[in-house]
Amino acid sequence: MSTNGKPVSVNRAATASGDEDLVGLARQAVADGVRPIRETASGSQPTPALSSLMASAEALRSANKFSDAEGFYRQVLDREPHHAPAWFGLAQMAMTTRNFELATHLLGKAIAGAPNEPANYVQLGICLASMNRWELAVQAQRKALQL
């Protein structure tokens, strides 16, 4: 699997220890150039244009129009590459289509952008459990509860 032409190692998190297990995918995302929202030029407040794009993406995702929704999420990411909610939305679609490996990678990017968002860890735990990576799944759920 690759993202933006770069190979992605989903198993990277399995080789880490302690809390690093939970953020191994986030570290991969950071290595890919994703920065937390607080470090972006526009700050954490979305512009009206991004809000409108996100609203459209979410509505289409809710209607299971994934191809159309992906287009809106990609427009958001073209303007704001570190937009954690857009990465999270793409991960939700990957989970719905049972592509848990891709969803895990996308959630890593969401975690890199919003490391204190419990929903990112909850969904990561679900993905990891779906791939029978039980210890990491439990750690992700515990991290979500800590936040």
Side-chain angles (χ1 to χ4, degrees), residues 1 3 8 25 29 74 77 84 86-95 99-112 120:
M1 172 180 17
T3 302
V8 175
L25 296 168
R74 295 290 175 195
L77 293 170
W87 290 116
F88 185 85
L90 289 170
Q92 292 291 96
M93 292 190 311
M95 290 176 70
N99 189 342
F100 298 113
E101 205 168 307
L102 175 60
T104 300
H105 172 72
L106 296 169
L107 285 165
K109 290 182 178 274
I111 289 169
N120 292 333

Side-chain angles (χ1 to χ4, degrees), residues 88 92 107 111 114 116-126 141 144 147:
F88 185 85
Q92 292 291 96
L107 285 165
I111 289 169
N116 295 318
E117 174 56 52
N120 292 333
Y121 294 96
V122 169
Q123 297 297 46
L124 178 60
I126 292 168
Q141 297 301 327
L147 298 172

Side-chain angles (χ1 to χ4, degrees), residues 11-98:
N11 293 324
R12 183 174 179 158
T15 63
S17 63
D19 235 11
E20 291 181 12
D21 289 339
L22 298 177
V23 295
L25 296 168
R27 289 176 186 257
Q28 176 66 41
V30 170
D32 289 343
V34 175
R35 294 174 291 134
I37 291 172
R38 68 181 178 279
E39 295 179 12
T40 63
S42 64
S44 61
Q45 296 298 319
T47 64
L50 289 181
S51 296
S52 176
L53 291 171
M54 281 299 293
S56 296
E58 293 297 314
L60 290 165
R61 182 179 60 81
S62 294
N64 291 327
K65 296 182 178 183
F66 295 153
S67 179
D68 294 331
E70 181 178 356
F72 280 97
Y73 285 127
R74 295 290 175 195
Q75 286 181 53
V76 170
L77 293 170
D78 285 345
R79 294 179 186 184
E80 183 66 55
H82 318 297
H83 195 274
W87 290 116
F88 185 85
L90 289 170
Q92 292 291 96
M93 292 190 311
M95 290 176 70
T96 301
T97 60
R98 304 190 57 75

